[in-house]
PDB file of all heavy atoms in Angstrom:
ATOM      1  N   ASP A 202       9.708 -13.087  -0.651  1.00  0.00           N
ATOM      2  CA  ASP A 202       8.409 -13.257  -0.019  1.00  0.00           C
ATOM      3  C   ASP A 202       8.024 -11.999   0.733  1.00  0.00           C
ATOM      4  O   ASP A 202       6.910 -11.501   0.632  1.00  0.00           O
ATOM      5  CB  ASP A 202       8.461 -14.430   0.974  1.00  0.00           C
ATOM      6  CG  ASP A 202       8.186 -15.745   0.288  1.00  0.00           C
ATOM      7  OD1 ASP A 202       8.128 -15.736  -0.947  1.00  0.00           O
ATOM      8  OD2 ASP A 202       8.022 -16.749   0.984  1.00  0.00           O
ATOM      9  N   PHE A 203       8.979 -11.534   1.504  1.00  0.00           N
ATOM     10  CA  PHE A 203       8.752 -10.361   2.327  1.00  0.00           C
ATOM     11  C   PHE A 203       8.381  -9.157   1.466  1.00  0.00           C
ATOM     12  O   PHE A 203       7.453  -8.400   1.761  1.00  0.00           O
ATOM     13  CB  PHE A 203      10.024 -10.081   3.119  1.00  0.00           C
ATOM     14  CG  PHE A 203       9.911  -8.981   4.113  1.00  0.00           C
ATOM     15  CD1 PHE A 203       9.133  -9.117   5.247  1.00  0.00           C
ATOM     16  CD2 PHE A 203      10.603  -7.798   3.909  1.00  0.00           C
ATOM     17  CE1 PHE A 203       9.041  -8.094   6.170  1.00  0.00           C
ATOM     18  CE2 PHE A 203      10.516  -6.767   4.833  1.00  0.00           C
ATOM     19  CZ  PHE A 203       9.736  -6.925   5.957  1.00  0.00           C
ATOM     20  N   GLN A 204       9.080  -9.001   0.375  1.00  0.00           N
ATOM     21  CA  GLN A 204       8.822  -7.882  -0.528  1.00  0.00           C
ATOM     22  C   GLN A 204       7.401  -7.948  -1.082  1.00  0.00           C
ATOM     23  O   GLN A 204       6.805  -6.917  -1.383  1.00  0.00           O
ATOM     24  CB  GLN A 204       9.831  -7.923  -1.679  1.00  0.00           C
ATOM     25  CG  GLN A 204       9.833  -6.669  -2.524  1.00  0.00           C
ATOM     26  CD  GLN A 204      10.777  -6.803  -3.707  1.00  0.00           C
ATOM     27  OE1 GLN A 204      10.959  -7.894  -4.245  1.00  0.00           O
ATOM     28  NE2 GLN A 204      11.382  -5.705  -4.101  1.00  0.00           N
ATOM     29  N   GLY A 205       6.887  -9.159  -1.172  1.00  0.00           N
ATOM     30  CA  GLY A 205       5.518  -9.319  -1.657  1.00  0.00           C
ATOM     31  C   GLY A 205       4.526  -8.478  -0.865  1.00  0.00           C
ATOM     32  O   GLY A 205       3.606  -7.876  -1.440  1.00  0.00           O
ATOM     33  N   LEU A 206       4.720  -8.388   0.423  1.00  0.00           N
ATOM     34  CA  LEU A 206       3.858  -7.557   1.266  1.00  0.00           C
ATOM     35  C   LEU A 206       3.803  -6.134   0.726  1.00  0.00           C
ATOM     36  O   LEU A 206       2.742  -5.539   0.599  1.00  0.00           O
ATOM     37  CB  LEU A 206       4.415  -7.466   2.688  1.00  0.00           C
ATOM     38  CG  LEU A 206       4.207  -8.588   3.689  1.00  0.00           C
ATOM     39  CD1 LEU A 206       4.609  -8.096   5.056  1.00  0.00           C
ATOM     40  CD2 LEU A 206       2.770  -9.014   3.686  1.00  0.00           C
ATOM     41  N   PHE A 207       4.979  -5.612   0.450  1.00  0.00           N
ATOM     42  CA  PHE A 207       5.058  -4.222   0.015  1.00  0.00           C
ATOM     43  C   PHE A 207       4.446  -4.051  -1.366  1.00  0.00           C
ATOM     44  O   PHE A 207       3.790  -3.059  -1.644  1.00  0.00           O
ATOM     45  CB  PHE A 207       6.520  -3.761   0.026  1.00  0.00           C
ATOM     46  CG  PHE A 207       7.077  -3.601   1.403  1.00  0.00           C
ATOM     47  CD1 PHE A 207       7.484  -4.705   2.124  1.00  0.00           C
ATOM     48  CD2 PHE A 207       7.162  -2.347   1.980  1.00  0.00           C
ATOM     49  CE1 PHE A 207       7.975  -4.564   3.408  1.00  0.00           C
ATOM     50  CE2 PHE A 207       7.662  -2.195   3.271  1.00  0.00           C
ATOM     51  CZ  PHE A 207       8.076  -3.305   3.981  1.00  0.00           C
ATOM     52  N   LYS A 208       4.682  -5.028  -2.215  1.00  0.00           N
ATOM     53  CA  LYS A 208       4.092  -4.934  -3.546  1.00  0.00           C
ATOM     54  C   LYS A 208       2.574  -4.923  -3.453  1.00  0.00           C
ATOM     55  O   LYS A 208       1.904  -4.123  -4.108  1.00  0.00           O
ATOM     56  CB  LYS A 208       4.568  -6.113  -4.407  1.00  0.00           C
ATOM     57  CG  LYS A 208       6.042  -6.032  -4.754  1.00  0.00           C
ATOM     58  CD  LYS A 208       6.412  -7.040  -5.843  1.00  0.00           C
ATOM     59  CE  LYS A 208       7.859  -6.815  -6.282  1.00  0.00           C
ATOM     60  NZ  LYS A 208       8.260  -7.701  -7.377  1.00  0.00           N
ATOM     61  N   GLU A 209       2.042  -5.825  -2.647  1.00  0.00           N
ATOM     62  CA  GLU A 209       0.601  -5.859  -2.454  1.00  0.00           C
ATOM     63  C   GLU A 209       0.089  -4.492  -2.009  1.00  0.00           C
ATOM     64  O   GLU A 209      -0.910  -3.993  -2.520  1.00  0.00           O
ATOM     65  CB  GLU A 209       0.255  -6.886  -1.366  1.00  0.00           C
ATOM     66  CG  GLU A 209       0.405  -8.331  -1.786  1.00  0.00           C
ATOM     67  CD  GLU A 209      -0.763  -8.779  -2.641  1.00  0.00           C
ATOM     68  OE1 GLU A 209      -1.845  -8.189  -2.502  1.00  0.00           O
ATOM     69  OE2 GLU A 209      -0.577  -9.710  -3.440  1.00  0.00           O
ATOM     70  N   HIS A 210       0.805  -3.937  -1.049  1.00  0.00           N
ATOM     71  CA  HIS A 210       0.336  -2.686  -0.478  1.00  0.00           C
ATOM     72  C   HIS A 210       0.347  -1.559  -1.501  1.00  0.00           C
ATOM     73  O   HIS A 210      -0.611  -0.809  -1.627  1.00  0.00           O
ATOM     74  CB  HIS A 210       1.203  -2.315   0.718  1.00  0.00           C
ATOM     75  CG  HIS A 210       0.824  -1.012   1.332  1.00  0.00           C
ATOM     76  ND1 HIS A 210      -0.415  -0.801   1.913  1.00  0.00           N
ATOM     77  CD2 HIS A 210       1.477   0.163   1.435  1.00  0.00           C
ATOM     78  CE1 HIS A 210      -0.479   0.435   2.356  1.00  0.00           C
ATOM     79  NE2 HIS A 210       0.656   1.051   2.081  1.00  0.00           N
ATOM     80  N   VAL A 211       1.450  -1.454  -2.219  1.00  0.00           N
ATOM     81  CA  VAL A 211       1.540  -0.385  -3.212  1.00  0.00           C
ATOM     82  C   VAL A 211       0.487  -0.583  -4.293  1.00  0.00           C
ATOM     83  O   VAL A 211      -0.181   0.362  -4.713  1.00  0.00           O
ATOM     84  CB  VAL A 211       2.951  -0.335  -3.837  1.00  0.00           C
ATOM     85  CG1 VAL A 211       2.980   0.585  -5.038  1.00  0.00           C
ATOM     86  CG2 VAL A 211       3.952   0.118  -2.794  1.00  0.00           C
TER      87      VAL A 211
END
Side-chain angles (χ1 to χ4, degrees):
Chain A
D202 274 9
F203 186 69
Q204 191 184 32
L206 280 192
F207 289 79
K208 291 192 173 183
E209 287 282 334
H210 178 63
V211 169

